[in-house]
Amino acid sequence: QVQLVESGGGLVQAGGSLRLSCAASGRTFSSYATGWFRQAPGKEREFVAAINWSGGSTYYADSVKGRFTISRDNAKNTVYLQMNSLKPEDTAVYYCAVGRYRTAATATSDFGSWGQGTQVTVSS
């Protein structure tokens, strides 16, 4: 079992930036893909970005492509999400997750461990 703790959320104006961090402990973090998801009020949890176990492959939702960057530091057991050019529609609770496999995935069912989430609010 792996424990995940997200940080870095907050309130930012449209066009601004935030960097989310997710620190992992427990299960061998570096052997598995990781990802970020988000959930806005009244909506289902949706995929944002994912990265494979080595950091060599990344995937993004179309809605964030070109604005968000996922990265990982296996030596620090941490995954990051750099969010630039934020829009009000990016407002949501952001969750990090550790995958069941080494390759990156986009479905929630492919991720077995989840953090508690961090709130991101983008004002217009």
Side-chain angles (χ1 to χ4, degrees), residues 48 59-68:
V48 175
Y59 300 89
Y60 297 93
D62 288 342
S63 58
V64 307
K65 201 170 295 183
R67 301 187 297 122
F68 291 11

Side-chain angles (χ1 to χ4, degrees), residues 10-120:
L11 174 63
V12 64
Q13 288 188 334
S17 299
L18 283 174
R19 188 193 195 203
L20 305 183
S21 299
C22 176
S25 62
R27 196 180 76 180
T28 307
F29 170 81
S30 59
S31 298
Y32 298 91
T34 57
W36 288 94
F37 291 75
R38 66 187 181 186
Q39 188 166 18
K43 295 187 177 181
E44 293 187 354
R45 190 169 299 188
E46 65 174 4
F47 169 76
V48 175
I51 189 167
N52 75 333
W53 68 279
S54 68
S57 296
T58 56
Y59 300 89
Y60 297 93
D62 288 342
S63 58
V64 307
K65 201 170 295 183
R67 301 187 297 122
F68 291 11
T69 302
I70 188 172
S71 61
R72 66 189 298 161
D73 185 339
N74 286 342
K76 295 182 178 180
N77 278 5
T78 302
V79 61
Y80 306 96
L81 186 68
Q82 177 67 44
M83 305 185 295
N84 299 328
S85 301
L86 283 161
K87 305 175 181 180
E89 51 263 43
D90 294 318
T91 295
V93 177
Y94 283 71
Y95 299 89
C96 70
V98 175
R100 304 181 189 276
Y101 316 107
R102 293 164 76 88
T103 54
T106 61
T108 56
S109 58
D110 290 324
F111 293 81
S113 299
W114 295 82
Q116 294 299 307
T118 185
Q119 177 70 46
V120 171

